[in-house]
């Protein structure tokens, strides 16, 4: 079985003061750099459909309303190598047109270039799903790719 599209094509991270976030068609992934030696008991993380709160060793790191809704029951967080917290949120709306422009409402926005690259990547991921026999992981895209690219669903086969 081939590796997932994002592993073959790379991800487009949005840098933040505390780490980075990035997205696929289905998920928003958050990586928070924390002091070495951080353990699970040092972390308080609340993951709700439209809200996120993260405190590490009593210090608030992230808190606010998410850019869009997620499936709270599928959200997870882990501490990796005692120096990174990885949060995985599952998007409610999973199509290429749902490219988050920021992690939280009015906070941690992707700059225009990063936003453009994220949208390109989601559009290519959509093409990959619609055409499983082709490999779009190294493809470049130009033209109409905003809002998920052109809609070919009404074309005759």
């Amino acid at each position: 079985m081939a590796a997932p599209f994002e592993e073959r094509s790379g991800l487009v991270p949005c840098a933040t003061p505390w780490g980075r976030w990035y997205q696929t068609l289905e998920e928003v992934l958050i990586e928070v750099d924390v002091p070495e030696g951080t353990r699970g008991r040092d972390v308080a993380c609340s993951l709700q459909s439209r809200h996120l709160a993260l405190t590490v060793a009593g210090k608030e790191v992230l808190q606010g309303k998410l850019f869009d809704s997620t499936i709270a029951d599928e959200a997870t967080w882990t501490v990796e190598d005692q120096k990174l917290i990885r949060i995985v949120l599952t998007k409610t709306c999973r199509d290429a047109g749902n490219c988050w422009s920021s992690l939280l409402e009015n906070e941690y926005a992707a700059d225009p270039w990063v936003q453009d690259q994220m949208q390109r990547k989601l559009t290519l991921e959509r093409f990959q799903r619609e055409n499983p026999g082709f490999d779009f992981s190294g493809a470049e895209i130009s033209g109409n790719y905003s809002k998920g690219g052109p809609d070919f669903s009404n074309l005759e086969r």
Side-chain angles (χ1 to χ4, degrees):
M1 181 174 178
F5 179 80
E6 61 272 9
E7 286 180 23
R8 290 180 282 124
S9 65
L11 294 165
V12 180
C14 179
T16 66
W18 39 260
R20 69 216 57 76
W21 69 274
Y22 46 93
Q23 62 187 309
T24 67
L25 280 176
E26 294 189 356
E27 298 175 327
V28 174
L29 299 102
I30 304 164
E31 294 179 347
V32 180
D33 299 316
V34 294
E36 200 155 330
T38 298
R39 303 177 71 77
R41 66 175 170 251
D42 302 323
V43 178
C45 187
S46 171
L47 304 171
Q48 299 170 11
S49 175
R50 288 294 309 256
H51 192 268
L52 165 74
L54 175 67
T55 304
V56 179
K59 292 174 139 178
E60 184 179 276
V61 178
L62 269 170
Q63 192 276 328
K65 188 173 182 182
L66 293 166
F67 178 79
D68 202 356
S69 64
T70 62
I71 301 171
D73 290 347
E74 295 183 16
T76 61
W77 65 271
T78 56
V79 177
E80 297 180 11
D81 299 326
Q82 295 187 345
K83 62 182 179 181
L84 177 80
I85 295 174
R86 184 180 315 271
I87 300 170
V88 180
L89 306 172
T90 302
K91 293 179 178 178
T92 302
C93 179
R94 301 175 199 159
D95 61 55
N98 184 28
C99 184
W100 289 24
S101 59
S102 64
L103 179 61
L104 302 178
E105 284 189 352
N106 304 313
E107 262 190 291
Y108 310 117
D111 68 46
W113 185 86
V114 170
Q115 178 67 27
D116 181 69
Q117 296 304 306
M118 284 180 168
Q119 184 62 68
R120 287 175 188 230
K121 190 66 71 179
L122 293 185
T123 301
L124 288 171
E125 189 176 350
R126 180 196 127 205
F127 289 166
Q128 182 68 58
R129 288 205 177 160
E130 293 173 353
N131 303 281
F134 294 93
D135 183 4
F136 290 91
S137 62
E140 288 292 323
I141 189 170
S142 63
N144 179 16
Y145 57 85
S146 65
K147 302 290 185 208
D151 180 9
F152 300 118
S153 63
N154 59 355
L155 296 177
E156 290 185 36
R157 292 191 179 246

